[in-house]
Amino acid sequence: MATKIDSGFTIIESMLFLGVAGALTVAILAGSGLAINQQRYRDSVNSLKSLLQEQYSEATNVVNDRAGTEACANNAVIVSPPDAVTSPQLRGTSECTIMGRFITIDSTGKLVNTSSVVGYHTPGAAEATSDIAEIKTNYKLGISSLSREEFDIAWGAEVVKPQTTTVMPFSMLILRSPLSGSIMTYTTEGVTADLIGMVDAANVNKTVNLCLNTPATAIAGGRMAVQIMPYATNQGSIQVPPGEMNVCD
C-alpha cells in the first residue's frame, strides 16, 4: 500500500511568511514616508531661498503700483485715497521713489511678509558723501501699503536660530542707493518697523543663517539653512550651504 504525502505549507511556515512579509511592508512604507518628508523639507528650504532671491529682482526691476489716485506724504507713507490735506499725485510727480524691498519673518517663524520700500527725499537737501549717509540724512523710508504680500513657509517648516530650536523673527531690507544705484542689504534679528534704524554698516557685513526646523519630522542628514552672505547685492548672495558645513546643528 502506497504512502500518501500531502504537499503545502504548515501553519508555522505560513505565519513566518506573513510575519516577514508584514515586516518588509512596514519597513518599505516607513522608508517611503521618510523619503517624502525629507523631500518636503528640502522643498521648504528651496522655496524660502527662491522667495528671498526674487526680492532682488523686485528691487532692480521696479514696478510702481500707484494708480495715480494716491499721494505720497512727506513721511514716505502712501495715502489712498488722499485725505483732505493731500491731493492726488500722478506717478513720477511726488518727492517719493520706490527704493527697494522689505522682508520680515514673523514671531512664529512660519510667515514671510514682503513689500516695497518707499523713500521720501527732503526737497533741497544737500547730497551726502556716502550711500548710507545719503539715506539716513536726506530720506525718510516707509513701507508701501499697495504691494504687501504674505507667504507661508512650505510644509510647516519654521525659521530658527542656528544650533537651537528657538524661533528667529527676522527683518531684511534691500535698498537701491539713490547716489550710486548699487544694491545694499541690511539684516537684523526681530521684526522692526524702524527702516532708517536698519540702515547701518553693522547690518551689512554679517553672515545670516536662517535654519529651517520641522518639529514633527525627523530630518536625515541634519537641518539645512538659507544663508544670506555679507554685503549681499544680488540673487547669488542667497545660498543653501552644503551639508558638510553643518551650520544649523
Side-chain angles (χ1 to χ4, degrees), residues 22-42:
L24 289 173
T25 301
V26 170
I28 291 171
L29 291 175
S32 175
L34 181 60
I36 291 173
N37 288 335
Q38 188 69 14
Q39 185 57 52
R40 287 177 175 175
Y41 175 72
R42 291 181 180 276

Side-chain angles (χ1 to χ4, degrees), residues 104-178:
T104 62
I105 298 173
D106 78 342
S107 59
T108 70
K110 297 180 179 181
L111 185 65
V112 183
N113 289 275
T114 67
S115 56
S116 292
V117 175
V118 177
Y120 175 85
H121 180 259
T122 304
E127 189 175 281
T129 57
S130 70
D131 291 331
I132 289 179
E134 174 70 10
I135 295 170
K136 293 184 75 71
T137 305
N138 296 332
Y139 279 82
K140 293 181 180 178
L141 301 180
I143 299 170
S144 172
S145 59
L146 305 178
S147 61
R148 291 182 180 176
E149 294 185 277
E150 291 186 353
F151 303 88
D152 290 315
I153 296 179
W155 301 112
E158 59 188 13
V159 173
V160 298
K161 297 180 181 181
Q163 316 296 324
T164 75
T165 57
T166 303
V167 171
M168 188 174 83
F170 176 72
S171 298
M172 177 178 179
L173 178 62
I174 302 171
L175 287 182
R176 186 180 64 259
S177 167

Side-chain angles (χ1 to χ4, degrees), residues 10-222:
T10 66
I11 293 177
I12 294 177
E13 289 172 330
S14 298
M15 291 177 66
L16 286 173
F17 171 78
L18 292 174
V20 171
L24 289 173
T25 301
V26 170
I28 291 171
L29 291 175
S32 175
L34 181 60
I36 291 173
N37 288 335
Q38 188 69 14
Q39 185 57 52
R40 287 177 175 175
Y41 175 72
R42 291 181 180 276
D43 287 345
S44 67
V45 174
N46 289 324
S47 294
L48 180 59
K49 172 189 172 184
S50 297
L51 178 58
L52 296 184
Q53 287 180 329
E54 287 171 9
Q55 304 311 305
Y56 287 93
S57 295
E58 296 282 349
T60 303
N61 305 309
V62 177
V63 176
N64 192 337
D65 294 309
R66 291 207 297 124
T69 58
E70 310 88 0
C72 187
N74 60 8
N75 58 354
V77 173
I78 294 176
V79 182
S80 177
D83 55 30
V85 178
T86 309
S87 300
Q89 298 167 333
L90 296 176
R91 287 182 293 185
T93 63
S94 76
E95 295 293 336
C96 290
T97 183
I98 298 175
M99 295 180 62
R101 302 288 289 174
F102 183 55
I103 306 98
T104 62
I105 298 173
D106 78 342
S107 59
T108 70
K110 297 180 179 181
L111 185 65
V112 183
N113 289 275
T114 67
S115 56
S116 292
V117 175
V118 177
Y120 175 85
H121 180 259
T122 304
E127 189 175 281
T129 57
S130 70
D131 291 331
I132 289 179
E134 174 70 10
I135 295 170
K136 293 184 75 71
T137 305
N138 296 332
Y139 279 82
K140 293 181 180 178
L141 301 180
I143 299 170
S144 172
S145 59
L146 305 178
S147 61
R148 291 182 180 176
E149 294 185 277
E150 291 186 353
F151 303 88
D152 290 315
I153 296 179
W155 301 112
E158 59 188 13
V159 173
V160 298
K161 297 180 181 181
Q163 316 296 324
T164 75
T165 57
T166 303
V167 171
M168 188 174 83
F170 176 72
S171 298
M172 177 178 179
L173 178 62
I174 302 171
L175 287 182
R176 186 180 64 259
S177 167
L179 282 184
S180 65
S182 60
I183 297 290
M184 301 181 72
T185 303
Y186 307 87
T187 60
T188 188
E189 281 194 34
V191 177
T192 180
D194 183 11
L195 302 190
I196 285 292
M198 286 187 66
V199 181
D200 189 281
N203 294 328
V204 173
N205 60 3
K206 52 189 176 184
T207 299
V208 177
N209 291 307
L210 304 175
C211 294
L212 272 80
N213 191 48
T214 52
T217 304
I219 302 169

